Amino acid sequence: MQNKAALALLVGGLLVAAQALADDAKPRSRDLGIAPGILKTGQHNAITDVQGVLVGQVTLVDGQDVRTGVTAILPHGGNLYQDKVPAGLYVANGYGKLTGISQIQELGEIETPILLTNTLSVPLAAEAIIGWTLKQPGNEQVVSVNAVVGETNDSRLNDIRKRALKAEHGLKAISNASDGPVAEGAVGAGTGTVAFGWKGGIGTSSRVLPAKLGGYTVGVLVQSNYGGVLQIAGQPVGEALGQYYLKDALDSEVADGSIMLIVATDAPLSDRNLTRLAKRAVAGLARTGASFTNGSGDYVLSFSTAASVRRTAERRGEVSSTESVPNGSMSPLFQAVIEASEEAIYNSMLKATDTCGTRSDTGKANCVKALPLEQLKALLTTSN
């Protein structure tokens, strides 16, 4: 039995490695000349361009039926419970299981890492966050933790009822979190996701404002698993390729699913303006052709990493003043989050690869193709 278990782990590890190599070989949006908007990107064109933000991922691929994982986003590398960050939340359609939502809305802050995973693994991911938080030096007296876990349902490629993801995987994603480039496509929480009938996944992008507008950075990371009528750079890609919601006027579940958008910025924002920023990310989502259907959970969670607005123990214990970008200066940040959200979604699909797994509802094998790049290139070339 031990030999069989070891062999299974080895095979699973080889599959993950092969998937990572395949994803690395795929182009990002800008490699194809798709550069939404007018603002410049950060160094890595990723959420980690926002100073302090860390991302870690664990990908689970095992046998024919496990295609899932977890993605961790840390607003900073210190003790998040002691040094909370202001946060905002916007729900475009609430068919989802976002844990920690009420305390974010009530207090306007995040006190833990953010984990993204599949729908039925939310409690296990929360257990990982709680365990990690309680063990942090300085948290010995903590008796309440608001774990933040977002999800999408990957049951079209993953045997979600198997609940293969464990708390240890969430802990590993948190402990592995780092800055720099972020793996995209069929990795982490995006391993088994589907978008617009093609393979979805993890994607990220960033924008940097000019110095005269504050020089702030906005970064977005998405877990795409939703649908509609795909548009890329304004072109009707879904229609042109014959795959879209309500094709032939037949209602279906093809546009159901969910998307999680995590927005980070180093701009010193109040939780109220972070909520306003989160709302604008939905404009970027809309540009991709999202239908926001009844069965889709469309969530945007935003936070600020600025030290001047961090909710330290000292600031929470007495009346204090903080910096805050005024309402009249928010518009450039709105533009930045719209552009970064749109591009992050494109990256999530473009970096993804053909994936075969098992449908949870039927128990049968299922394969989902990645976006056909040659056809996409031809379409974009013709449109220009």
Side-chain angles (χ1 to χ4, degrees):
M1 290 295 292
Q2 289 181 342
N3 288 337
K4 288 184 177 180
L7 179 60
L9 288 173
L10 176 60
V11 172
L14 291 173
L15 287 170
V16 171
Q19 182 71 54
L21 288 172
D23 288 346
D24 286 343
K26 299 292 290 292
R28 300 186 82 194
S29 175
R30 288 174 182 261
D31 297 327
L32 300 179
I34 304 167
I38 57 174
L39 297 171
K40 294 182 179 180
T41 71
Q43 179 182 359
H44 303 292
N45 192 14
I47 193 171
T48 49
D49 290 327
V50 178
Q51 186 175 8
V53 176
L54 309 174
V55 174
Q57 306 194 73
V58 171
T59 301
L60 295 182
V61 177
D62 187 25
Q64 299 299 315
D65 58 354
V66 176
R67 304 288 184 272
T68 194
V70 59
T71 298
I73 304 96
L74 279 64
H76 62 75
N79 188 325
L80 284 159
Y81 189 89
Q82 297 299 329
D83 293 341
K84 308 175 198 293
V85 295
L89 175 71
Y90 182 68
V91 182
N93 192 70
Y95 191 80
K97 290 79 185 171
L98 175 58
T99 294
I101 186 172
S102 62
Q103 188 165 314
I104 295 171
Q105 292 174 321
E106 183 70 21
L107 302 182
E109 62 191 26
I110 292 173
E111 62 188 25
T112 70
I114 302 161
L115 290 186
L116 305 179
T117 188
N118 73 62
T119 306
L120 297 188
S121 294
V122 169
L124 294 167
E127 171 61 25
I129 291 174
I130 293 169
W132 181 86
T133 301
L134 294 179
K135 289 182 179 179
Q136 297 303 297
N139 292 353
E140 292 79 10
Q141 304 302 316
V142 171
V143 295
S144 174
V145 178
N146 187 49
V148 180
V149 183
E151 55 77 33
T152 70
N153 195 305
D154 58 17
S155 62
R156 283 171 284 187
L157 286 169
N158 174 55
D159 182 0
I160 197 169
R161 291 173 59 89
K162 194 170 185 176
R163 302 182 75 192
L165 188 127
K166 306 301 180 185
E168 64 193 67
H169 299 119
L171 285 169
K172 184 176 180 181
I174 294 171
S175 63
N176 287 347
S178 63
D179 57 8
V182 175
E184 297 171 297
V187 296
T191 303
T193 61
V194 180
F196 297 97
W198 287 288
K199 185 68 188 73
I202 296 295
T204 190
S205 184
S206 68
R207 294 294 186 275
V208 180
L209 297 185
K212 64 180 180 180
L213 296 177
Y216 303 122
T217 300
V218 174
V220 177
L221 182 143
V222 305
Q223 177 193 20
S224 65
N225 191 52
Y226 69 108
V229 184
L230 178 61
Q231 299 179 69
I232 294 182
Q235 299 304 312
V237 174
E239 289 182 81
L241 298 182
Q243 182 164 283
Y244 54 93
Y245 178 51
L246 296 182
K247 182 182 178 183
D248 301 324
L250 296 176
D251 197 3
S252 72
E253 64 174 13
V254 71
D256 287 347
S258 294
I259 183 169
M260 286 293 310
L261 298 97
I262 309 300
V263 177
T265 183
D266 57 4
L269 301 184
S270 64
D271 53 86
R272 180 182 57 80
N273 268 334
L274 282 164
T275 299
R276 298 179 71 207
L277 187 69
K279 289 179 180 179
R280 271 59 178 193
V282 174
L285 174 58
R287 288 181 179 181
T288 70
S291 292
F292 302 95
T293 62
N294 179 69
S296 184
D298 309 308
Y299 294 85
V300 188
L301 179 60
S302 62
F303 59 84
S304 172
T305 65
S308 59
V309 296
R310 194 168 293 177
R311 297 178 177 182
T312 62
E314 292 75 17
R315 287 179 179 147
R316 296 197 309 274
E318 60 186 28
V319 176
S320 61
S321 60
T322 60
E323 285 188 305
S324 182
V325 173
N327 294 336
S329 298
M330 286 296 297
S331 294
L333 291 167
F334 293 160
Q335 180 68 28
V337 77
I338 291 169
E339 293 182 11
S341 297
E342 181 183 5
E343 186 168 348
I345 292 168
Y346 296 156
N347 284 335
S348 77
M349 298 182 69
L350 290 169
K351 292 293 287 183
T353 52
D354 297 353
T355 301
C356 292
T358 298
R359 280 194 67 107
S360 295
D361 55 354
T362 65
K364 295 181 179 179
N366 185 35
C367 292
V368 176
K369 294 284 188 180
L371 267 174
L373 291 183
E374 294 307 315
Q375 290 176 265
L376 177 60
K377 290 176 185 177
L379 179 62
L380 295 174
T381 300
T382 302
S383 66
N384 291 330

